[in-house]
Amino acid sequence: MGLTARIRTRDGWAVSHAVVTVTDMTGTQVLRAEADAEGTVRDTTGLTPGAYTVIVTAVGYAPAASSAIVTASGRAEVGTVTLARQGGTELPPPGPWTIDPAHSSVAAVAQHLGISSVHGRFTEFGGTIEIAPDDVAKSRVEAVIRAASVDTGNGMRDTHLRSGDFLDVERYPEITYRSSALDQAGPDRWTVHGELAMHGVVRPVDLDLAYLGTGADPWGGTRAAFRATAELHRDDFAMNYNQVLQAGIAAIGTTLRVELDIQAVQGDSLPTG
């Protein structure tokens, strides 16, 4: 006898802090139970046969209500109840996530000679993501990039980018980003507010973030995927070098478009082996 239910997100993750309330047809509460760590509710309270309303609530999710029939055995099997995030957007399960550099990329695009684009990337970086359990807006991200790992596919250009004209990697070996807030920007998009420290200058920089989903990986872990973009201005970071050609065209544009493709592994460290 009693009630059984499974509480899940739309991605299939357990909602471990869900509460199930059962009321009879007069609106009187007859049962209240909490989900366990696996998002499962098992309550042995005997219920009188008949029709009931089952309401499932959890912080950060929209409530879900459904009808249930209790059989002569006193059992109510609600089945799987799917909760949607407030605002309709899912994020990964709460807790720490570690950025996997081997399956991520940090890239930037700049205009060259006003007619084409130069594509570059940083090959050495790392970071952590903390998904807040109750208020997603309190989630945080921190990342560190080794400035000298810049790679545009041209050795001479990369040497120049590492010099005092641009990144000045001897004096400023690290580029860091720390978030300060997270706002929902649409049904599947977020704006990450934070500060970027580069070339000895700290400036506010917003990331346009899309969460692409989660899934199991071949190494026994769970991964979440994100894509983010931002626009930077070199002048904001005291990188004012420019060569102006005879035609008055700047050799390298002052605006950089940053493109991040990130995979993060659930947990506070990367798997070994």
Side-chain angles (χ1 to χ4, degrees):
M1 66 175 59
L3 175 141
T4 59
R6 297 169 70 248
I7 318 302
R8 295 289 185 268
T9 70
R10 291 186 298 186
D11 281 348
W13 298 101
V15 182
S16 58
H17 58 289
V19 175
V20 176
T21 303
V22 180
T23 62
D24 61 19
M25 287 300 97
T26 69
T28 302
Q29 179 177 313
V30 297
L31 185 153
R32 183 181 185 278
E34 294 187 9
D36 60 20
E38 302 300 322
T40 301
V41 176
R42 297 183 182 89
D43 191 281
T44 58
T45 303
L47 298 173
T48 302
Y52 293 84
T53 299
V54 178
I55 303 168
V56 182
T57 58
V59 174
Y61 293 85
S66 61
S67 299
I69 301 297
V70 175
T71 63
S73 65
R75 179 181 299 129
E77 294 184 0
V78 178
T80 299
V81 178
T82 302
L83 296 184
R85 275 278 182 192
Q86 295 279 12
T89 300
E90 298 291 344
L91 277 179
W97 295 74
T98 302
I99 293 173
D100 180 5
H103 297 92
S104 303
S105 68
V106 176
V109 182
Q111 286 297 111
H112 185 241
L113 302 178
I115 58 174
S116 64
S117 297
V118 173
H119 293 259
R121 64 191 183 108
F122 291 93
T123 59
E124 297 180 30
F125 56 89
T128 58
I129 300 167
E130 183 77 25
I131 304 297
D134 297 330
D135 185 356
V136 173
K138 295 180 180 178
S139 300
R140 296 177 57 81
V141 59
E142 292 191 5
V144 178
I145 300 168
R146 184 168 174 266
S149 71
V150 65
D151 178 10
T152 66
N154 181 296
M156 184 178 298
R157 180 166 56 213
D158 293 345
T159 298
H160 192 192
L161 289 173
R162 295 183 187 111
S163 74
D165 286 339
F166 291 98
L167 293 171
D168 198 356
V169 301
E170 292 294 329
R171 294 176 62 195
Y172 309 109
E174 292 184 344
I175 301 168
T176 63
Y177 184 81
R178 291 181 173 87
S179 70
S180 56
L182 180 69
D183 293 330
Q184 191 165 348
D188 61 350
R189 304 195 72 83
W190 301 82
T191 300
V192 181
H193 305 287
E195 289 188 333
L196 179 68
M198 180 170 63
H199 197 234
V201 178
V202 179
R203 295 280 189 182
V205 170
D206 290 347
L207 298 176
D208 295 324
L209 175 72
Y211 166 53
L212 306 180
T214 55
D217 66 25
W219 305 280
T222 300
R223 290 175 178 263
F226 305 87
R227 179 168 176 78
T229 59
E231 189 171 279
L232 306 180
H233 297 275
R234 286 196 291 115
D235 294 349
D236 289 343
F237 294 92
M239 287 185 281
N240 302 313
Y241 169 86
N242 218 332
Q243 175 187 5
V244 178
L245 305 183
Q246 288 182 346
I249 300 173
I252 302 173
T254 60
T255 301
L256 292 174
R257 178 177 171 81
V258 178
E259 300 175 346
L260 311 175
D261 284 292
I262 301 298
Q263 280 191 26
V265 180
Q266 191 173 23
D268 55 12
S269 63
L270 291 173
T272 58

